[in-house]
Amino acid sequence: MSKLSGKVQTVLGLVDPDQLGRTMTHEHLTMSFECCYFPPSPGDEAVAENPFQMQHMYWLRQNQYSCHENLLLHQEVGAVREELLAYRKAGGGAIVENTTTGIERDMPTLKQLAKDTGVHIIAGAGYYVDCTHSETTRKTSVEKLTDIIISEVLHGADGTDIRCGVIGEIGTGWPITDSEKKVLKATAHAQAQLGCPVIIHPGRDPAAPAEVVRILQEAGGDIRKTVMSHLDRTIFDNGELLEFAKLGSYLEYDLFGVEMLNYSYNLSVDMPSDSQRVQALAFLVKEGYEDRIVIAHDIHTKNRLTKFGGHGYSHILKNIVPKMLRRGISQHQVDKILIDNPKEWLTFK
């Protein structure tokens, strides 16, 4: 693996880690999320069929998964290109694109977006949650899944020669299914051979992240080289958060810009506001975890693009960083979270 060692692998090839700059570690630029469609409440069907109007914007923010068209981010390549140009102008340097097998990964489009905008794009290898697994995937052995993931990193994904630079987001639900466990084991085996970064989508239960870590560790994975996503909708108790942090993964708060009253996939969850997310970051920094935090927006629906009145990929740089500084996180610590930590994570061992 000497060719990859010490480098970051983007869709345009290997780059020196210092070239990345400010990095969003969990975004999507082209994908379909129809796998997770959630039917609208009775009486809202007409709005769901025609949501992109000013009078419907609040409904769409609160019910973004209940409109088929909103889940087809891959239809907005032009808008995403403009967003990436704005992101670069705002000081952004790189984006980790977390679209994997099962949610319409599009490697040629990612490569073209990188060429058009100058933003470093790192693509994800592997598989999403169980409901997106094909029958072939379910029947495939851990060894064969390992070979497929390794090939996506070393040779190219989806019949192209465009290589992935991270494994993930590897999707799990709760409880974790047998097929998801196989993918996790294959992920750990591939990571052990490649020395590469991994990123996980855990199930929506406070116990889910630690269970994923256990499975990965038992299979030989490197938890220090692994990001646990979506902690802002998963672990809310500070004591439980610190217990999980001790396990050693990167701690990702990646739903900046999402503020909703009722979280469709788990109504027991009170989705935090951006201000509460910043408070959580400040708490983790105070507890000594500034070297283990990464952040992002996880944009995966149309309504979150600025074209449709959303916050866009520059929201953290423009709005959240000033808030972090006002809440006692120093510029040095902000730079760790946005530059140094992603760089260390993304660099092949």
Side-chain angles (χ1 to χ4, degrees):
M1 295 303 105
S2 58
K3 178 185 171 186
L4 297 176
S5 181
K7 299 292 185 180
V8 173
Q9 185 156 265
T10 78
V11 294
L12 296 182
L14 297 176
V15 301
D16 187 277
D18 288 333
Q19 292 181 245
L20 295 183
R22 294 173 182 84
T23 302
M24 300 297 128
T25 52
H26 196 127
E27 306 293 351
H28 299 273
L29 304 176
T30 174
M31 65 167 288
S32 168
F33 204 53
E34 285 200 287
C35 62
C36 296
Y37 172 74
F38 194 91
S41 300
D44 285 350
E45 294 86 355
V47 179
E49 289 300 315
N50 190 21
F52 298 111
Q53 299 182 37
M54 185 64 71
Q55 65 265 37
H56 296 159
M57 286 293 100
Y58 179 77
W59 181 90
L60 189 57
R61 285 197 300 272
Q62 298 299 314
N63 301 275
Q64 56 185 311
Y65 306 119
S66 298
C67 167
H68 284 291
E69 186 180 351
N70 195 42
L71 305 179
L72 304 177
L73 185 64
H74 61 80
Q75 295 178 340
E76 299 297 334
V77 175
V80 169
R81 181 181 293 109
E82 293 304 309
E83 291 259 357
L84 290 178
L85 290 170
Y87 171 70
R88 190 177 180 203
K89 186 177 180 180
I95 279 179
V96 181
E97 217 284 354
N98 278 252
T99 306
T100 46
T101 301
I103 48 177
E104 298 193 24
R105 180 176 53 195
D106 186 343
M107 300 297 281
T109 294
L110 297 183
K111 184 174 182 177
Q112 192 61 51
L113 285 170
K115 286 182 176 179
D116 291 346
T117 65
V119 174
H120 296 292
I121 297 173
I122 298 95
Y127 301 84
Y128 193 49
V129 295
D130 184 282
C131 68
T132 70
H133 293 185
S134 67
E135 283 307 307
T136 299
T137 299
R138 295 180 196 282
K139 295 175 182 177
T140 302
S141 67
V142 171
E143 292 74 22
K144 180 58 178 175
L145 289 171
T146 302
D147 291 343
I148 292 170
I149 293 171
I150 288 175
S151 181
E152 290 182 344
V153 175
L154 294 184
H155 306 296
D158 305 331
T160 76
D161 62 357
I162 307 168
R163 298 171 177 87
C164 298
V166 62
I167 300 175
E169 61 182 306
I170 298 300
T172 62
W174 188 257
I176 303 170
T177 69
D178 289 342
S179 189
E180 291 169 345
K181 288 177 182 177
K182 280 201 310 179
V183 170
L184 284 172
K185 291 174 183 177
T187 294
H189 294 169
Q191 185 186 38
Q193 293 184 49
L194 296 170
C196 67
V198 164
I199 184 166
I200 300 294
H201 164 108
R204 297 171 178 88
D205 186 279
E211 178 64 9
V212 170
V213 167
R214 183 189 67 78
I215 294 169
L216 289 173
Q217 282 184 320
E218 289 182 357
D222 183 355
I223 303 307
R224 297 291 293 180
K225 203 79 176 156
T226 299
V227 166
M228 189 60 64
S229 304
H230 312 323
L231 291 181
D232 33 355
R233 57 88 163 137
T234 310
I235 301 178
F236 299 96
D237 179 82
N238 281 345
E240 292 179 7
L241 178 60
L242 291 180
E243 283 302 305
F244 176 73
K246 292 176 184 177
L247 299 181
S249 77
Y250 284 97
L251 311 168
E252 186 175 80
Y253 283 73
D254 51 36
L255 294 172
F256 278 98
V258 174
E259 300 189 356
M260 58 176 61
L261 187 62
N262 296 308
Y263 182 45
S264 302
Y265 300 135
N266 188 349
L267 293 177
S268 67
V269 167
D270 288 327
M271 185 66 75
S273 67
D274 279 355
S275 292
Q276 289 170 312
R277 291 184 179 101
V278 171
Q279 290 170 9
L281 298 184
F283 170 74
L284 286 170
V285 167
K286 183 179 178 182
E287 293 293 328
Y289 288 99
E290 63 187 53
D291 294 334
R292 306 304 295 169
I293 302 169
V294 290
I295 58 177
H297 311 90
D298 189 17
I299 292 175
H300 54 279
T301 54
K302 290 183 180 182
N303 70 299
R304 297 178 67 197
L305 300 175
T306 56
K307 174 182 176 179
F308 299 102
H311 53 78
Y313 299 98
S314 303
H315 173 55
I316 285 175
L317 298 181
K318 289 185 173 181
N319 304 313
I320 300 304
V321 167
K323 183 81 169 183
M324 292 168 71
L325 295 171
R326 286 196 296 271
R327 290 296 174 263
I329 302 174
S330 70
Q331 184 64 58
H332 176 68
Q333 291 163 336
V334 168
D335 290 342
K336 277 193 174 184
I337 292 168
L338 288 176
I339 302 173
D340 298 338
N341 297 348
K343 178 180 71 173
E344 292 296 322
W345 169 57
L346 289 167
T347 302
F348 279 70
K349 293 175 68 174

